[in-house]
Amino acid sequence: MDTTARMHDRRHRLAPRATVVATVVVVVAGLLAGCASSPSPDRTTAASAAASDSATRSGTGEIRHELGPLTDRFPQLATALSATWMSGTMGDERVPGPSTYWIDAVVVLDEAGYAELRALAPGEAGSDAEAELPDLDAGLDDALPPGPLVRSSALDDAFSQDGRSTQVFLDDATSSVILTSRFQ
């Protein structure tokens, strides 16, 4: 066999190996890209928070009144006199992976505790700081104060610790804190 024929024969034998190697490289690259880390719960982006807000809520529908689970998660509520709240998960339970939990609550604080939180939301009710509530679980409708409500980003930040994304609203007339929180 001449040299040209041998090289041609060798290329034909190596071509399938090169194709297999290229395929393996593409598959491994795809797997590695899929394993890229996502942001930690402490760094929830606005886009992911908005996505979890639009997800389907599930829960038992039970209206709860015990303070312990709330004050454990939110030490700012340590002076709570009463609470009405609900909780559950977001999304489809059939989809594997970590769950996003939600809590909606109306909490009445004593005067001193309320005053501490109110200092984080400057302005008067009815001013530019006035806010409308986001969609809370309908089971809380009877517990909601009439308002007007105030809020501030400083107040939200104070409650958005340990991976929670929380919106907080205050009602001066009843010393109530209304919050909606999402976390993993």
Side-chain angles (χ1 to χ4, degrees), residues 19 110 119 136 158-159:
T19 303
D110 70 9
L136 298 175
F159 281 78

Side-chain angles (χ1 to χ4, degrees), residues 101-181:
Y101 299 92
W102 61 270
I103 293 177
D104 290 347
V106 178
V107 182
V108 178
L109 298 181
D110 70 9
E111 287 182 37
Y114 184 80
E116 284 182 35
L117 291 180
R118 187 61 173 92
L120 295 174
E124 296 179 24
S127 70
D128 292 339
E130 187 173 341
E132 289 188 32
L133 286 172
D135 291 330
L136 298 175
D137 194 284
L140 296 178
D141 287 351
D142 291 340
L144 290 173
L149 305 174
V150 294
R151 67 181 304 239
S152 73
S153 58
L155 198 53
D156 292 350
D157 291 345
F159 281 78
S160 294
Q161 303 294 319
D162 301 324
R164 288 184 295 273
S165 175
T166 307
Q167 291 182 321
V168 182
F169 304 82
L170 302 177
D171 178 66
D172 291 339
T174 61
S175 298
S176 294
V177 176
I178 301 97
L179 66 85
T180 182
S181 187

Side-chain angles (χ1 to χ4, degrees), residues 13-152:
R13 282 185 287 150
L14 293 178
R17 287 185 190 158
T19 303
V20 168
V21 169
T23 303
V24 168
V25 168
V26 168
V27 169
V28 169
L31 289 173
L32 290 175
C35 293
S37 65
S38 61
S40 72
D42 293 334
R43 297 187 177 120
T44 302
T45 62
S48 64
S52 68
D53 285 346
S54 64
T56 304
R57 289 176 163 215
S58 63
T60 64
E62 175 187 6
I63 296 175
R64 301 173 68 176
H65 299 284
E66 68 272 23
L67 296 173
L70 289 176
T71 57
D72 289 348
R73 282 186 183 85
F74 304 104
Q76 303 86 341
L77 302 176
T79 65
L81 301 174
S82 65
T84 303
W85 60 284
M86 299 177 79
S87 65
T89 58
M90 305 290 285
D92 188 342
E93 293 178 0
R94 299 172 293 176
V95 176
S99 294
T100 299
Y101 299 92
W102 61 270
I103 293 177
D104 290 347
V106 178
V107 182
V108 178
L109 298 181
D110 70 9
E111 287 182 37
Y114 184 80
E116 284 182 35
L117 291 180
R118 187 61 173 92
L120 295 174
E124 296 179 24
S127 70
D128 292 339
E130 187 173 341
E132 289 188 32
L133 286 172
D135 291 330
L136 298 175
D137 194 284
L140 296 178
D141 287 351
D142 291 340
L144 290 173
L149 305 174
V150 294
R151 67 181 304 239
S152 73

Side-chain angles (χ1 to χ4, degrees), residues 1-20:
M1 201 187 274
D2 69 353
T3 306
T4 306
R6 273 187 278 154
M7 288 189 64
H8 180 69
D9 183 47
R10 184 177 170 153
R11 276 191 220 136
H12 283 284
R13 282 185 287 150
L14 293 178
R17 287 185 190 158
T19 303
V20 168

